Amino acid sequence: MDRPILYSFKRCPYAMRARMALKLANIKCEIREVRLNNKPKNMLEASPKGTVPVFIVKDQIIDESIEIINWAIFKSDLFKNNTSEENILLTESLIDKFDNKFKYHLDRYKYSTRYDDVDVAVHRNECMKILIELEGMLSEDGWFFGEKVNKLDISILPFIRQF
């Protein structure tokens, strides 16, 4: 039986969250760890943009982490009955904030040498503002919306870890 293939990089937050979703959904796949300075030809043929994660299942290529998470949720009923409609809207909003605003500041804080005229303290503080806001939303049960991990948790945890 051919398993799906996931091209991944161990420290990439996008790849981390895709791996978490697949693991939580009990979807078995072959993980191909990529060296970003030497990307495999097969990965680039599947997804010419050259970023991870890239998930290949049958004749389908999914090369965005959120799409991989959504695919895993659909295939496995992952997080079934775990969030209300209100929480779904909040989840999407917060994932967008982390994927864009938080990641923007995180990159300039952690990798300031890659950018011109960066004030590291400003970018660190912007990340902290988002984390402090987020802390006020946490459930007392261990995860964002209760006692069980959900889409928001796995989508933003790798960025928080990186910070």
Side-chain angles (χ1 to χ4, degrees), residues 105-140:
H105 292 294
L106 176 64
D107 286 347
R108 283 149 185 81
Y109 164 58
K110 292 269 306 204
Y111 310 109
S112 60
T113 58
R114 296 180 186 172
Y115 303 92
D116 293 329
D117 297 325
V118 168
D119 185 336
V120 174
V122 167
H123 293 288
R124 181 188 180 281
N125 290 340
E126 289 301 313
C127 286
M128 285 301 299
K129 285 180 193 175
I130 294 169
L131 292 174
I132 289 167
E133 174 189 345
L134 193 67
E135 188 174 30
M137 299 177 195
L138 286 173
S139 161
E140 293 180 13

Side-chain angles (χ1 to χ4, degrees), residues 15-27 65-66 68-73 76 78-79 151 154-155:
M16 283 180 188
R17 68 189 188 182
R19 288 192 314 264
M20 282 191 283
L22 294 169
K23 176 72 175 166
L24 289 169
N26 287 322
I27 295 169
S65 61
I66 287 297
I68 296 168
I69 293 168
N70 290 337
W71 181 89
I73 289 169
S76 68
L78 184 61
F79 313 134
K151 182 179 177 180
I154 66 171
S155 295

Side-chain angles (χ1 to χ4, degrees), residues 1 8-9 11 17 24 28 39 45 47-48 50 58-59 72 85-86 91 101 109 119 123 127 129 132 135 149 156 158:
M1 180 175 149
S8 184
F9 177 66
R11 290 191 326 257
R17 68 189 188 182
L24 289 169
K28 302 206 182 314
K39 297 170 187 166
E45 287 171 353
S47 178
K58 296 185 181 174
D59 60 350
E85 190 168 325
E86 178 183 330
T91 294
K101 186 175 181 183
Y109 164 58
D119 185 336
H123 293 288
C127 286
K129 285 180 193 175
I132 289 167
E135 188 174 30
V149 66
I156 66 173

